[in-house]
Amino acid sequence: MTTTAKPLFSRVVVKLSGEALMGPDPFGLNAPTVGRMASDLKAAADLGVQVAVVVGGGNFFRGLQGADKGIERARADSIGMLATVMNALAMEGALEQIGQAARVLSAVAMPSLCQPYSRQAALAHLVKRRVIILAAGTGNPFFTTDTGAALRACELSCDAVMKATQVDGIYSADPKKDFSATRYERLTHDEAIARNLQIMDTAAFALCRDNAIPIVVFSVNEPGAIPKALLGKGRATYVMP
């Protein structure tokens, strides 16, 4: 991908995991880490990019783990959705503290806390250069927040899904466990699905494939990672149609 001073995309969904918001802490939210990521998102918006953010909830509760402990899967996923709302509200506050207008929109209606999600409301906020934080996944159990990010990218006519992770791209295996894992610079959606690459679930890859939406996978561990990825700088894997 050619490096350029102009952003590669004009409207994106940035997918942040809940674990990324923990920073060095074992659980919950690490305030300096949330603040750093808010600064990254503001820098992306300052480039003129319209930014939607989908946050996970794994720093508080993960539905699959709850199901493994005996909680009914649909109920466990509902608890996980609430965890994403907590993260979204924290990110909204961090953005507003640094002067970036932001709005949380939740797929599960809770109007006393945040605005219910609708496509029309989300688009209106994006046009006004507000960063929108899309909480509660798809609003349905059995779907991951990765699938939620892909779904929102399709609904909002986004140019790409920016998948912020703990590693600098997609590997053939977990590079933290398998030092011989191969790193990919570029893949098609079909190749990612066929190779069963675990960086996103199959439904998310398929949604992006069917709607010709690129996926950029990059590490969010360093300050400035999000605007750098938008400018085509740094290491990343590009999953392209």
Side-chain angles (χ1 to χ4, degrees), residues 7 47-48 80 124 170:
L47 291 172
I170 299 179

Side-chain angles (χ1 to χ4, degrees), residues 54-65:
V54 170
V55 289
N59 53 325
F60 288 116
F61 189 90
R62 185 179 292 276
L64 276 174
Q65 292 175 350

Side-chain angles (χ1 to χ4, degrees), residues 89-233:
L89 291 171
M91 184 59 70
E92 180 187 47
L95 284 162
E96 290 178 344
Q97 284 181 357
I98 58 174
Q100 173 60 54
R103 295 290 187 278
V104 174
L105 287 81
S106 173
V108 176
M110 45 187 77
S112 63
L113 296 178
C114 54
Q115 186 174 355
Y117 172 81
S118 73
R119 179 176 181 271
Q120 292 81 1
L123 290 171
H125 289 309
L126 288 172
V127 169
K128 293 177 182 177
R129 298 296 175 180
R130 295 168 180 152
V131 172
I132 58 173
I133 306 109
L134 305 173
T138 67
N140 298 290
F142 302 99
F143 291 95
T144 67
T145 49
D146 281 346
T147 300
L151 174 63
R152 298 302 183 226
C154 297
E155 285 183 322
L156 301 175
S157 302
C158 291
D159 302 315
V161 173
M162 310 292 292
K163 167 81 172 177
T165 71
Q166 304 299 307
V167 292
D168 59 354
I170 299 179
Y171 287 76
S172 58
D174 186 344
K176 295 178 180 179
K177 299 177 181 177
D178 183 352
F179 295 113
S180 66
T182 300
R183 182 180 175 277
Y184 301 106
E185 290 284 343
R186 193 179 181 96
L187 293 161
T188 66
H189 298 85
D190 282 332
E191 286 172 336
I193 293 169
R195 295 175 189 179
N196 195 31
L197 300 174
Q198 298 297 311
I199 199 74
M200 295 179 81
D201 60 88
T202 301
F205 277 127
L207 265 173
C208 290
R209 177 197 61 192
D210 295 347
N211 292 275
I213 296 175
I215 303 167
V216 183
V217 180
F218 63 101
S219 171
V220 76
N221 288 331
E222 296 296 327
I226 295 172
K228 188 180 293 185
L230 284 167
L231 292 170
K233 300 177 181 179

Side-chain angles (χ1 to χ4, degrees), residues 11-81:
R11 179 184 292 168
V12 298
V13 166
V14 177
K15 171 57 173 57
L16 289 176
S17 68
E19 288 87 344
L21 302 179
M22 292 192 304
D25 296 339
F27 178 81
L29 291 163
N30 177 267
T33 300
V34 174
R36 173 173 64 82
M37 293 190 182
S39 295
D40 264 25
L41 293 169
K42 183 180 186 302
D46 288 343
L47 291 172
V49 178
Q50 296 180 11
V51 180
V53 184
V54 170
V55 289
N59 53 325
F60 288 116
F61 189 90
R62 185 179 292 276
L64 276 174
Q65 292 175 350
D68 288 342
K69 294 177 181 178
I71 302 174
E72 181 187 11
R73 174 64 191 276
R75 192 179 302 275
D77 282 352
S78 295
I79 299 170
M81 290 178 211

